[in-house]
Amino acid sequence: MLALKSLDREFFARTPQRVARELLGKVLVRHSKAEFLTGRIVETEAYLAENDPAAHSAAGKTARNSVLFGPPGHAYIYFIYGSHYCLNTSCGREGTGGGVLFRALEPLQGIERMARNRGIVLAGAGDLRKLTSGPGRLAEAFGITRARDNDCDLTRDSLSLWIGEDGFPSGPVVVTPRIGITKAAERPLRFVLGGNPFVSGRKLQAVG
DNA sequence: ATATCGATTATCT
DNA sequence: GATAATCGATATG
């Protein structure tokens, strides 16, 4: 694969919709002594800084969501439903509460390690979908926790978690309503790479 | 293909 | 104390 180049702060200093769309095709990287994992981003959701009751920042800054109000391009990680971590990035101008949720990746490198992190034994090719197609799944595959990664600067390739780009053409983008929310559920703020088999959910599986 | 259930936290009352 | 939450796995038809 081509060399990965980290993204600059300006990339993230735009609207959540714009950042969510532009992140498709970019690569999430986890590197540490024990791990080197990469996955292409194929599904994201935008959570707006204003007039978005589904955003975690909607009720103002708290201890939990404070990263969203900090500089853009930092990892906001929260724990949900008693079992899952989810990865977001802050975006927009500092002081506003915009964010983008990472919903699915296409596994590229470190697949064996991802399977081990997920507690899965890979049998068929279809099992690759179980690794990173879903926000809780991708976080588990990449070993992402709030204690380890919250507030990590995703623009710095010297840190353990960051985002790179390799010139991959991101392809046609499909926009749909967001998943798993009850407030403002109809707004078209979910972005997916059209036809990519690693997008979360079951419907596309049957089509593919 | 659809239903239900688990498990923890942050936030609100 | 209650409850909703950016979910995933399992059971059932």
Side-chain angles (χ1 to χ4, degrees):
Chain A
M1 93 192 274
L2 282 91
L4 283 170
K5 182 173 176 292
S6 60
L7 304 176
D8 58 26
R9 190 81 50 211
E10 286 301 304
F11 179 95
F12 295 97
R14 299 179 288 175
T15 65
Q17 298 98 312
R18 189 75 191 284
V19 173
R21 179 184 286 268
E22 300 275 335
L23 277 174
L24 296 178
K26 303 296 188 288
V27 177
L28 182 68
V29 182
R30 160 73 87 197
H31 73 88
S32 66
K33 278 183 183 167
E35 311 159 289
F36 184 74
L37 312 174
T38 64
R40 194 171 307 283
I41 299 163
V42 301
E43 176 180 357
T44 58
E45 283 178 0
Y47 288 85
L48 310 186
E50 297 186 349
N51 300 320
D52 184 359
H56 282 187
S57 56
K61 185 173 172 177
T62 67
R64 178 204 196 192
N65 68 18
S66 64
V67 173
L68 288 174
F69 292 89
H74 282 237
Y76 165 52
I77 292 146
Y78 65 88
F79 191 64
I80 188 87
Y81 292 120
S83 350
H84 311 293
Y85 289 99
C86 293
L87 170 67
N88 299 247
T89 178
S90 57
C91 61
R93 272 195 347 276
E94 181 164 356
T96 67
V100 172
L101 170 67
F102 294 75
R103 286 198 56 91
L105 307 174
E106 174 176 348
L108 297 175
Q109 294 167 284
I111 286 172
E112 288 302 321
R113 175 66 185 225
M114 293 183 206
R116 191 146 33 107
N117 287 348
R118 292 270 296 120
I120 287 176
V121 179
L122 292 172
D127 288 352
L128 286 181
R129 273 195 94 254
K130 298 179 190 166
L131 294 179
T132 53
S133 67
R137 287 172 168 181
L138 77 86
E140 189 174 38
F142 274 62
I144 293 168
T145 67
R146 183 169 167 93
R148 183 179 182 188
D149 299 303
N150 193 50
D151 203 25
C152 181
D153 186 346
L154 297 171
T155 68
R156 295 189 54 192
D157 62 9
S158 58
L159 299 181
S160 172
L161 191 68
W162 56 282
I163 299 169
E165 68 111 352
D166 62 0
F168 180 82
S170 79
V173 174
V174 177
V175 185
T176 80
R178 294 175 293 187
I179 306 287
I181 58 172
T182 56
K183 290 168 265 188
E186 298 315 308
R187 303 175 65 172
L189 292 172
R190 174 174 174 253
F191 300 85
V192 307
L193 277 186
N196 189 290
F198 294 93
V199 168
S200 73
R202 292 176 181 157
K203 207 169 180 184
L204 289 169
Q205 200 174 13
V207 172

